[in-house]
Amino acid sequence: MARILSILVGLFFTVALAWSFGKGAYTAITEPAAPTAEHEFHLHPREVHFASDGAFGRFDKQQLQRGFQIYKEVCSACHSLSHVAFRDLEQLGYSEGQVKAIAAGFQVPGTDPNTGEANMRPGQPTDYFPKPFANDIAARAANNNAIPPDLSLMTKARHDGPAYIYSLITGYRPQPAELLKHFPDAKTPQGLHYNPYFANLNLAMAPPLTSDGQVEYGAGNPKPTVDQMAKDVSAFLIWTAEPKLEKRKQTGLAVTLFLLFATVLGYMAYRNIWAGKKH
């Protein structure tokens, strides 16, 4: 009896699932969703290439240093790098003294050794990059009610992360007349900025890079155009999200070569053992 009951219950759920699926498919075919401004005008990230791309790609440390300069002088006012310690910057080619100087240029939360009270002190190499705002309320108040996201893992948190960041930074533009013609209610609200690479087309962040030469690069570097600066900071954020990228690729290559060698060796052993045997 129990077995029959369980079969009937399973059959009921199977029929219910099939009916729901059929009804949903029929509705999707006969009543397609109305077009939206986001669907019609949202753009996929532009194609862009970085030195770290591909199985044999390696970080361009000079570019990473330029990207860090962009973050420090432009992005750090709103965005944190909570998963990156100052001492990690040595991987970019900075010396120990340079790292100490960079860390000291940031104020991090500390404790007064005499009173035990919380205070702010100059950063040390072992500290992590501090948050630019004391709390979420302060962050919202300064950014049109939006909380700027942490950038440490951003290239991993977004589809086509590096290309998305590059496209977003360089994608600010006036709303197209065609959009307002077909979707008059989609006008960018006061205080927001139109960007077709953002999911809902409007975001609170103002264009971070507004003009060529906004950040001054040192000698031996390319001209700091908006396009170049956007590529450099995107490359830097590839590193913050995966600082061991080069090591992972080297390990993967060694493992692949070993497996190829083992496969050939195994095949040769098989041929040697079974060469004279009849099936």
Side-chain angles (χ1 to χ4, degrees):
M1 185 66 180
R3 187 173 183 180
I4 295 175
L5 213 65
S6 63
I7 292 174
L8 290 175
V9 171
L11 185 62
F12 170 78
F13 281 108
T14 301
V15 171
L17 183 63
W19 179 81
S20 299
F21 176 79
K23 184 179 179 181
Y26 175 78
T27 302
I29 294 172
T30 58
E31 301 177 20
T36 63
E38 290 84 355
H39 180 267
E40 297 292 325
F41 288 87
H42 176 64
L43 300 179
H44 291 288
R46 296 161 56 192
E47 185 175 353
V48 60
H49 300 285
F50 297 94
S52 57
D53 291 345
F56 302 100
R58 298 179 64 85
F59 286 126
D60 179 346
K61 291 187 177 180
Q62 191 171 13
Q63 183 179 41
L64 297 187
Q65 290 189 12
R66 295 196 302 268
F68 169 65
Q69 183 181 356
I70 298 295
Y71 168 77
K72 180 183 175 184
E73 297 185 20
V74 180
C75 309
S76 64
C78 298
H79 296 277
S80 57
L81 282 179
S82 60
H83 295 285
V84 181
F86 292 112
R87 61 185 175 187
D88 295 334
L89 296 177
E90 291 187 24
Q91 298 176 32
L92 307 188
Y94 291 108
S95 66
E96 183 178 347
Q98 288 175 315
V99 170
K100 288 182 178 179
I102 292 171
F106 286 81
Q107 292 292 310
V108 301
T111 303
D112 190 316
N114 298 317
T115 64
E117 296 180 352
N119 64 2
M120 300 298 289
R121 59 170 176 78
Q124 299 176 355
T126 53
D127 292 319
Y128 285 76
F129 279 85
K131 294 182 178 181
F133 301 103
N135 50 54
D136 289 350
I137 296 175
R140 288 184 184 278
N143 294 278
N144 198 29
N145 204 37
I147 300 176
D150 183 270
L151 296 181
S152 306
L153 305 175
M154 189 54 66
T155 57
K156 291 292 185 183
R158 298 290 184 270
H159 179 64
D160 290 333
Y164 167 78
I165 293 172
Y166 165 74
S167 300
L168 188 74
I169 292 174
T170 58
Y172 290 88
R173 62 193 67 174
Q175 274 191 306
E178 191 72 13
L179 183 151
L180 296 176
K181 177 182 177 181
H182 293 286
F183 304 96
D185 294 337
K187 182 176 175 60
T188 299
Q190 183 72 22
L192 300 185
H193 307 272
Y194 178 77
N195 192 315
Y197 297 102
F198 193 64
N200 68 358
L201 306 181
N202 303 297
L203 72 165
M205 181 177 73
L209 299 175
T210 57
S211 61
D212 295 347
Q214 181 176 340
V215 173
E216 185 176 346
Y217 288 163
N221 286 291
K223 184 179 178 181
T225 61
V226 169
D227 186 79
Q228 182 64 54
M229 291 187 290
K231 288 179 180 176
D232 292 343
V233 75
S234 299
F236 171 69
L237 294 177
I238 295 175
W239 172 80
T240 64
E242 196 168 5
K244 298 187 183 298
L245 178 66
E246 290 183 352
K247 184 65 176 178
R248 179 175 62 80
K249 290 182 178 182
Q250 293 169 1
T251 302
L253 180 60
V255 170
T256 301
L257 293 175
F258 170 77
L259 291 175
L260 287 174
F261 174 75
T263 301
V264 173
L265 192 64
Y267 178 75
M268 293 174 63
Y270 163 79
R271 294 289 298 174
N272 184 56
I273 293 173
W274 295 99
K277 306 294 183 180
K278 293 184 178 180
H279 296 287

